[in-house]
């Protein structure tokens, strides 16, 4: 009789163990219980690929930061050289300028000389134009009151001016005569010599009348200053 009770007790214990195991398995399957022991299955992507897998590891913050540009890349390659300066100004003379002679109605009996720099460098117009009309052996004097405060400098394409007082307006001067040609010479820095080649601006076909009151102004930077005398 005692043996039968022992067998029944063992059967009841085994049934209870099986029931508990079933409950534990159900709880694990629906996510509400504790997982069973053993190796856990991965639930997300691998953080770092192993070298043997052939994958690439995610970039670290240091590798994602751009490096500072080098001197050559910052300037687009090798720095280009700036154009060299054109040099110091030269003296204006006939070969690097164009000279035009224009008779003026006001002031009367005056001729305007316009000199334009046709060269590639700036040039200085020193002093006053040394003009020679026809076959004259001497050049007329300059009007001292017309001396500018600074040397006239012409950049490429710029013009300077001077006027020539051809004859007295009241006819009081002597040795009046008509001339048909004109040569303009340019002074150097010292003012006592001519430099380079002269210019030969044409005169009106009827010529111009000059007398012994012939005089010239100093070179001027502006047209208005040139026709004041």
């Amino acid at each position: 009789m005692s043996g039968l009770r022992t067998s029944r007790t063992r059967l009841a214990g085994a049934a209870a163990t099986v029931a508990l195991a079933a409950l534990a398995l159900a709880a694990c399957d629906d996510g509400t219980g504790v997982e069973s022991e053993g190796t856990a299955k991965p639930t997300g992507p691998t953080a770092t690929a192993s070298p043997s897998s052939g994958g690439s590891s995610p970039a670290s913050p240091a590798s994602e930061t751009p490096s500072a540009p080098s001197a050559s890349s910052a300037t687009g390659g090798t720095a280009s050289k700036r154009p060299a300066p054109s040099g110091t100004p030269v003296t204006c003379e006939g070969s690097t300028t164009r000279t035009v002679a224009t008779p003026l109605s006001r002031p009367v009996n005056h001729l305007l000389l316009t000199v334009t720099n046709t060269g590639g460098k700036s040039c200085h117009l020193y002093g006053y134009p040394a003009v020679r009309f026809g076959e004259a052996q001497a050049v007329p004097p300059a009007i001292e009151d017309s001396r500018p405060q600074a040397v006239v400098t012409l950049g490429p394409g710029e013009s300077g001016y001077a006027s020539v007082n051809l004859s007295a307006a009241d006819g009081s001067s002597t040795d009046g005569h008509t001339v048909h040609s004109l040569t303009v010479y340019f002074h150097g820095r010292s003012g006592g010599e001519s430099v380079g080649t002269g210019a030969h601006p044409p005169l009106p076909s009827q010529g111009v009348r000059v007398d012994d009151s012939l005089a010239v102004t100093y070179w001027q930077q502006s047209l208005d200053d040139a026709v004041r005398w």
Side-chain angles (χ1 to χ4, degrees):
M1 188 73 177
S2 59
L4 179 60
R5 289 178 180 176
T6 301
S7 300
R8 289 178 178 177
T9 300
R10 289 177 179 176
L11 290 173
T17 300
V18 171
L20 288 175
L23 289 174
L25 180 61
C28 183
D29 289 341
D30 63 8
T32 61
V34 180
E35 292 183 1
S36 63
E37 295 181 359
T39 303
K41 296 181 180 180
T43 59
T46 303
T48 303
S50 63
S52 61
S53 65
S56 57
S57 301
S60 65
S63 65
E64 293 176 355
T65 303
S67 60
S70 63
S72 60
S73 63
T75 58
T78 304
S80 58
K81 295 182 179 180
R82 294 181 179 180
S86 59
T88 57
V90 298
T91 302
C92 299
E93 45 99 0
S95 66
T96 58
T97 58
R98 181 179 68 254
T99 303
V100 177
T102 307
L104 299 176
S105 57
R106 290 185 180 182
V108 296
N109 301 341
H110 276 63
L111 188 72
L112 175 67
L113 299 178
T114 302
V115 174
T116 303
N117 182 0
T118 58
K121 295 182 178 181
S122 296
C123 68
H124 292 315
L125 280 172
Y126 292 108
Y128 56 90
V131 297
R132 182 165 293 172
F133 288 92
E135 301 300 323
Q137 298 301 308
V139 298
I143 302 171
E144 282 301 317
D145 289 344
S146 68
R147 185 192 292 267
Q149 294 182 351
V151 174
V152 174
T153 302
L154 306 180
E158 294 181 341
S159 298
Y161 309 90
S163 63
V164 183
N165 187 347
L166 297 172
S167 59
D170 58 6
S172 59
S173 296
T174 60
D175 194 24
H177 60 283
T178 300
V179 294
H180 296 274
S181 64
L182 169 63
T183 303
V184 179
Y185 296 99
F186 298 86
H187 285 137
R189 181 186 296 271
S190 68
E193 82 289 351
S194 62
V195 296
T197 60
H200 303 277
L203 295 176
S205 57
Q206 70 273 20
V208 295
R209 186 171 177 80
V210 298
D211 60 25
D212 58 6
S213 66
L214 188 65
V216 300
T217 68
Y218 282 80
W219 291 113
Q220 308 293 328
Q221 200 79 53
S222 72
L223 174 61
D224 290 342
D225 289 340
V227 297
R228 289 175 56 191
W229 291 273

